[in-house]
Amino acid sequence: MTPAFWRGVWWLPSTPETQSPGQLRVDADGTCRLEIVGSLNLGAVGQAADDATRPRGDRVPEIHGMSKGKPITLLDCFTTASDGFSASTRSYQDIHVQEALIGAHVARDEPAFAAAIVEIENLTSWLAHPNIIERSDDGEGQHATTSRPPDLSCVIDGWTITARGLAQPFRANHKHSRLVVEGEVSTYLVLAPPEPVAAREFHGLVHEISDLITLAAGEASDQISLTLIHREPTIMPERDGSTFEMDTQVESFGARIHTAMPEEASPMDWRLLFSCRDHTFQDLVVDWLRVRRRAPDACNVYFGLRYARPRYTETRLLLTAITAEALHKGLVDATALSDADIEQTRLARLRDEQREVAKKLGKTPTFRERAIGLAAKPDADAVRELIPDIEAWADRLKDARNNLAHTGNETTDDDIFYLEWVTSSLLALVLMAELGLSPETQRRAVRDILSPPR
């Protein structure tokens, strides 16, 4: 998006009678900044909201505003620049805004939103809707039709997640040299909690689903837009004097690590590791959310490497090794006792039985054992094609990780670019296996996409 501006008046919810002019600026990466002419006394509100012995400084949970008749709420705000030490002496004040909600006045923790509509990069390709575009040629000319894709839906933890499509009418663009006829099919997700929630409750789920599509696409796939649906509809007048209800839509803006590029070309279907053609939408989304929530730390590091990829191979290799260890802890948890172990502990009477249980309690896998354990999770043929010698790979990864972690240098003669590539590819295979994707899908992914470049 291009930078956007909302000029108007702004005030603190606790003192609506004290208003200051200014403008809200939203940059292309979603960063929000409120530029006030004069000052808002954020410090006084922050102090009043907390114990007097622990001042919070110029920070408030929300600021309200009005621009062109539209209500605006700014969440988690703090001063970044000003030209004075008190509100009465300042001529300007720049305020950082974590999230801007255009279209409603709400409190930070107010459960005001009944649903959200989100667009995510590469979502349309990943959904793999069949027969949404059909072409034919009757000899006289070519014909094309676009169809609205069917809704796909699933439920997890009371939240309903629905993928919906929209087929736009064909349009003709007249050029100096030719006539271009274009059609368009787009998709979006509707996230509906079991009951209204605060705006911030949607961000975690959007982030988790973005990670799923990023895994499938092999490239950063992040939020393009987020529109929240207020729990109270807007009453609109009809010409005959009657009224009707419309959803109250509230646009949400906020800074993100990756800036979405919706007009860029999406990967071709054969470049996706998997799609809804390989597994159902419901199974992929539900299973992914469960897997992601079992290993949040590992996934945060792994996908951080996708959204903000470091330039140095050493950094990528160290972070990939960290991901492998954390992923094994989250998914395998080899040190946990089974129900049978617990029962054995309770009923143990012999010294030998107690000794065996104590060994299980005290055993913590080494990094090398964790790496080998991860390699055992995906399809064996897919892993073998990617990493022919698992034992040697685990040794090299362990040595490289220890060297980088303890000395900051990688002193071996191994190709660490290759080592980082195959390790990262193995992690993708592990996540695919956890999603229940077939061995054939995993082997195709290795053969066509994940194998290191020659």
Side-chain angles (χ1 to χ4, degrees):
M1 58 173 285
T2 57
F5 302 87
W6 285 267
R7 296 177 177 88
V9 293
W10 311 89
W11 64 89
L12 300 173
S14 58
T15 56
E17 69 282 356
T18 303
Q19 300 182 356
S20 297
Q23 74 171 5
L24 170 67
R25 175 189 174 101
V26 178
D27 292 330
D29 64 354
T31 299
C32 303
R33 183 172 72 253
L34 178 62
E35 300 168 341
I36 291 291
V37 178
S39 178
L40 295 175
N41 195 2
L42 275 59
V45 176
Q47 181 75 15
D50 206 349
D51 189 317
T53 62
R54 297 185 292 112
R56 295 171 55 185
D58 282 8
R59 183 182 295 269
V60 294
E62 64 264 339
I63 294 173
H64 288 172
M66 187 69 71
S67 176
K68 298 181 180 179
K70 181 170 289 190
I72 299 175
T73 299
L74 310 179
L75 300 177
D76 295 321
C77 310
F78 58 87
T79 299
T80 58
S82 64
D83 65 346
F85 294 100
S86 67
S88 60
T89 61
R90 291 170 179 162
S91 63
Y92 78 89
Q93 182 182 26
D94 291 345
I95 299 173
H96 172 80
V97 176
Q98 186 70 20
E99 182 178 9
L101 304 178
I102 313 298
H105 284 154
V106 297
R108 179 181 183 274
D109 297 321
E110 181 183 351
F113 300 102
I117 299 171
V118 58
E119 293 181 284
I120 299 176
E121 293 175 293
N122 297 318
L123 173 64
T124 303
S125 297
W126 177 74
L127 289 172
H129 288 298
N131 304 321
I132 58 174
I133 300 177
E134 295 184 0
R135 291 185 291 263
S136 62
D137 190 336
D138 61 4
E140 298 294 330
Q142 293 188 342
H143 308 272
T145 60
T146 57
S147 304
R148 180 184 178 276
D151 288 356
L152 302 173
S153 186
C154 66
V155 178
I156 182 168
D157 296 337
W159 284 66
T160 302
I161 304 171
T162 304
R164 290 179 177 164
L166 184 64
Q168 298 285 3
F170 284 98
R171 57 183 178 271
N173 294 329
H174 294 264
K175 308 289 185 180
H176 285 184
S177 60
R178 63 192 182 280
L179 177 66
V180 179
V181 180
E182 297 177 329
E184 180 179 299
V185 177
S186 58
T187 56
Y188 57 92
L189 297 177
V190 179
L191 313 178
E195 56 187 20
V197 297
R200 56 190 171 87
E201 297 297 328
F202 291 98
H203 299 310
L205 183 56
V206 171
H207 183 71
E208 291 170 331
I209 297 174
S210 297
D211 287 349
L212 172 61
I213 301 174
T214 295
L215 174 64
E219 66 178 33
S221 304
D222 208 352
Q223 171 187 309
I224 298 172
S225 67
L226 178 64
T227 303
L228 307 180
I229 306 301
H230 200 278
R231 64 186 174 189
E232 296 182 1
T234 299
I235 306 301
M236 301 295 292
E238 292 275 19
R239 290 185 177 181
D240 61 3
S242 62
T243 61
F244 67 97
E245 294 183 350
M246 288 185 61
D247 286 340
T248 302
Q249 297 191 355
V250 179
E251 294 181 273
S252 170
F253 298 97
R256 306 185 71 84
I257 294 176
H258 168 74
T259 301
M261 297 178 286
E263 300 304 318
E264 294 294 316
S266 180
M268 301 296 290
D269 55 358
W270 65 270
R271 291 292 303 173
L272 299 177
L273 293 182
F274 60 91
S275 68
C276 292
R277 187 181 294 110
D278 303 301
H279 221 22
T280 66
F281 172 83
Q282 176 175 349
D283 288 340
L284 284 173
V285 173
V286 171
D287 289 345
W288 171 249
L289 293 178
R290 289 173 179 160
V291 169
R292 178 105 178 42
R293 292 167 185 177
R294 282 168 56 197
D297 295 335
C299 289
N300 286 341
V301 178
Y302 179 80
F303 290 104
L305 288 166
R306 297 295 179 273
Y307 296 122
R309 185 172 174 81
R311 292 182 179 272
Y312 288 101
T313 306
E314 289 85 354
T315 305
R316 297 198 304 271
L317 178 58
L318 181 58
L319 291 175
T320 301
I322 291 172
T323 302
E325 184 172 20
L327 191 61
H328 185 273
K329 289 180 179 180
L331 298 183
V332 179
D333 195 12
T335 61
L337 288 176
S338 66
D339 291 341
D341 293 331
I342 296 172
E343 184 68 11
Q344 183 183 358
T345 303
R346 189 175 68 84
L347 301 176
R349 293 292 183 270
L350 301 177
R351 191 179 300 261
D352 289 343
E353 289 179 331
Q354 292 172 334
R355 185 179 297 114
E356 289 301 316
V357 172
K359 287 181 180 178
K360 291 182 179 180
L361 281 169
K363 179 176 175 57
T364 300
T366 65
F367 177 84
R368 183 179 183 276
E369 290 171 338
R370 291 189 186 279
I372 293 174
L374 274 184
K377 295 188 73 65
D379 173 71
D381 289 339
V383 173
R384 192 177 302 111
E385 185 169 346
L386 181 66
I387 307 174
D389 190 336
I390 294 296
E391 299 277 343
W393 161 79
D395 285 331
R396 290 196 298 271
L397 183 62
K398 176 201 67 175
D399 292 340
R401 173 254 200 182
N402 289 342
N403 287 337
L404 289 169
H406 298 303
T407 69
N409 295 306
E410 215 314 298
T411 58
T412 67
D413 294 329
D414 291 320
D415 183 348
I416 63 172
F417 174 84
Y418 174 87
L419 184 60
E420 184 269 331
W421 185 292
V422 297
T423 304
S424 180
S425 296
L426 175 66
L427 298 180
L429 274 184
V430 170
L431 294 173
M432 290 174 65
E434 290 293 310
L435 287 174
L437 291 161
S438 67
E440 291 75 17
T441 302
Q442 297 178 45
R443 294 169 196 165
R444 185 195 69 214
V446 171
R447 182 179 63 250
D448 297 341
I449 305 168
L450 293 177
S451 294
R454 295 178 182 270

